[in-house]
Amino acid sequence: MELICCKDYEEMSRKAAETVAACLKKKPDGLLSFPGGETPLGMVQHFVKMVNEGEVDISRANYVSLDEWVGLGPDTLGSCAQFNRDNLFTPLQKEFANIHIINGANSQIEEECEKLDAYFAAYGPLTVSVLGIGMNGHLGFNEEGSDFNAKAHTVPLSPVTIGIMSKYFTEELPLTHGITQGLAQIMQADTVILIAAGEKKAEIVHRAMRGEVTESVPASILQRHPNCICVMDEAACRLL
Ligand code: GLP
């Protein structure tokens, strides 16, 4: 794993966006995936700016969302679909060739897993998978114990995720499950970019990058990825 330790969140965001852009320049018809959550906002903003200023061409590129809270669609503030729409697709002045956004509000949620797998079959594998890391080491919604060989699937939210999820929402929501790209799909990406910021992530980043590779810390699987670039601020790298 390559480590790029940045002085602050702003530098992390810029470096991550530049790394995505460099991958896309090599494969302009590639498939991209960004996470939701707090960490990627700055990176997405930099990426949008680069596209709008003509530094990156997305006209042949494809995009797929990483995960979603089961029960939520784009109308709920804090959903991954809303994050993608408001921070990526709306400010972009150019369009991707194809996009696929998981619809967590589909009452037949298994259909969404099938659609996600079908999208990977048509447009995959990923050229770049940008990932955040959960406080328990989850990637997307691949919670502790997730199968390293899984494709798209739903998963019960872990107590750690349930404990922190209120930071994303303005109201209390009775969420119990997530739907996510599986670790097998993530691991097939040509390049994985793991982003993390803040002191609170230092310990789990250390366990994921330096600890045992184990399903109880899903992000530890990235130690086996041949081209994983960790772009983090100094606080998140503190224990490395
Ligand atoms: C969330 C999402 C992940 C995200 C992670 C970290 O629950 N399911 O896709 O990467 O947890 O989020 P944050 O960047 O807000 O710490």
Side-chain angles (χ1 to χ4, degrees):
M1 296 169 105
E2 181 188 345
L3 174 63
I4 301 179
C5 188
C6 303
K7 71 174 188 307
D8 55 19
Y9 178 80
E10 166 62 18
E11 189 178 290
M12 179 207 78
S13 301
R14 186 171 48 77
K15 283 256 163 64
E18 286 170 359
T19 309
V20 173
C23 294
L24 206 51
K25 274 185 188 157
K26 281 192 216 147
K27 197 168 187 315
D29 59 349
L31 176 61
L32 298 187
S33 180
F34 293 163
E38 286 181 336
T39 315
L41 184 60
M43 177 209 66
V44 172
Q45 288 169 342
H46 273 281
F47 181 77
V48 166
K49 189 162 178 280
M50 291 175 87
V51 173
N52 288 348
E53 290 177 355
E55 284 177 54
V56 193
D57 177 20
I58 59 164
S59 63
R60 293 165 58 206
N62 307 305
Y63 182 87
V64 61
S65 59
L66 171 65
D67 60 0
E68 186 57 280
W69 307 89
V70 171
L72 304 190
D75 296 338
T76 304
L77 190 67
S79 70
C80 302
Q82 177 267 326
F83 178 91
N84 276 300
R85 183 192 63 202
D86 294 349
N87 300 303
L88 185 61
F89 304 130
T90 301
L92 273 176
Q93 291 157 12
K94 315 275 169 75
E95 284 185 11
F96 285 103
N98 287 283
I99 59 174
H100 178 79
I101 300 298
I102 300 165
N103 177 15
N106 186 342
S107 58
Q108 307 295 314
I109 200 68
E110 285 311 314
E111 252 176 42
E112 289 300 310
C113 297
E114 287 161 21
K115 285 186 194 166
L116 189 53
D117 284 343
Y119 194 79
F120 269 88
Y123 297 102
L126 288 159
T127 305
V128 191
S129 170
V130 183
L131 299 166
I133 182 168
M135 292 299 290
N136 55 354
H138 72 199
L139 297 176
F141 276 126
N142 290 280
E143 299 277 33
E144 301 102 311
S146 287
D147 183 352
F148 281 174
N149 298 309
K151 292 185 178 178
H153 61 289
T154 58
V155 59
L157 299 173
S158 80
V160 175
T161 302
I162 289 173
I164 58 169
M165 74 183 188
S166 63
K167 72 173 180 171
Y168 300 117
F169 304 111
T170 49
E171 56 183 319
E172 207 166 299
L173 295 167
L175 303 174
T176 57
H177 286 72
I179 173 170
T180 185
Q181 292 175 20
L183 291 171
Q185 291 161 325
I186 290 170
M187 286 296 282
Q188 278 169 10
D190 296 340
T191 302
V192 171
I193 302 171
L194 181 68
I195 55 174
E199 167 67 32
K200 64 179 186 298
K201 292 284 171 77
E203 197 182 323
I204 192 64
V205 161
H206 181 260
R207 282 177 67 201
M209 291 181 67
R210 300 283 187 258
E212 183 197 350
V213 177
T214 164
E215 287 177 354
S216 44
V217 183
S220 65
I221 195 178
L222 297 178
Q223 293 181 37
R224 295 187 182 153
H225 193 281
N227 189 24
C228 175
I229 306 169
C230 303
V231 187
M232 299 176 178
D233 72 359
E234 266 175 13
C237 297
R238 189 177 63 81
L239 301 174
L240 298 177

